[in-house]
């Protein structure tokens, strides 16, 4: 206030007043960072990473941001960190219906391609499928496309460890682009990184 009087300013010239939460008995956690309908994807991604270890890619964070905004707008309130986690996991994590791949086995071919032999279930009906691809996930995706008639392109795949102990779960993210131009996202977790990737792929398919 003194600076404003000395400079003759009649209004604030910065959009935020910097405050260290520790100065007012708070911390950088859910009671300081809260999510409302105006929150950006960066803040939402930060909360998930710092509190739960998830690190979704930027475009997936953007999609999540829209979904969180819908909830915040609908309920006319801010969301807590656990509620953001709930939206994330409910929307993207380990979806197994109507499509699922409960079993997959792989063969390395002489030309360095991979053949996947999978069990595919669609609405509870199981079918054995085989397809070849440039990698394990590509082969599984090709098998699903050939069996179901779906048409999509894998536009993103990433992975990281979700836990820090020796029994750490792997976490995978998959983005798909469909013939209609729509993009869908999925997340998969498992102690086996291959299974986590397949779960993420299946989740992205089930989000169509």
């Amino acid at each position: 206030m003194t600076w404003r009087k000395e400079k003759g300013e009649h209004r604030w010239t910065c959009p935020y007043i910097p405050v260290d939460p520790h100065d007012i008995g708070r911390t950088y956690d859910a009671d300081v960072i809260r999510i409302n309908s105006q929150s950006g994807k960066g803040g939402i991604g930060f909360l998930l990473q710092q509190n739960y270890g998830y690190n979704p890619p930027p475009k997936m964070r953007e999609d999540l941001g829209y979904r969180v905004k819908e909830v915040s707008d609908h309920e006319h309130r801010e969301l807590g960190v656990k509620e953001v986690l709930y939206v994330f996991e409910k929307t993207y994590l380990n979806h197994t219906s109507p499509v699922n791949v409960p079993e997959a086995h792989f063969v390395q071919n002489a030309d360095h391609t991979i053949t996947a032999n999978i069990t595919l279930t669609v609405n509870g009906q199981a079918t054995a499928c085989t397809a070849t691809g440039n990698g394990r996930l590509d082969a599984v995706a090709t098998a699903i496309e050939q069996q179901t008639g779906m048409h999509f392109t894998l536009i993103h795949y990433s992975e990281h460890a979700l836990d820090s102990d020796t029994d750490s779960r792997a976490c995978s993210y998959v983005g798909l682009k469909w013939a209609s131009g729509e993009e869908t996202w999925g997340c998969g977790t498992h102690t086996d990184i291959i299974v986590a990737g397949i779960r993420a792929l299946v989740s992205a398919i089930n989000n169509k």
Side-chain angles (χ1 to χ4, degrees), residues 141-142 144-154 176-184 205 208:
T142 300
I144 294 173
E145 285 188 289
Q146 290 177 350
Q147 180 63 33
T148 64
M150 297 177 180
H151 297 287
F152 54 78
T153 302
L154 184 68
L176 301 177
K177 187 168 186 176
W178 299 79
S180 63
E182 179 185 2
E183 294 182 6
T184 59
I205 291 171
K208 179 70 170 72

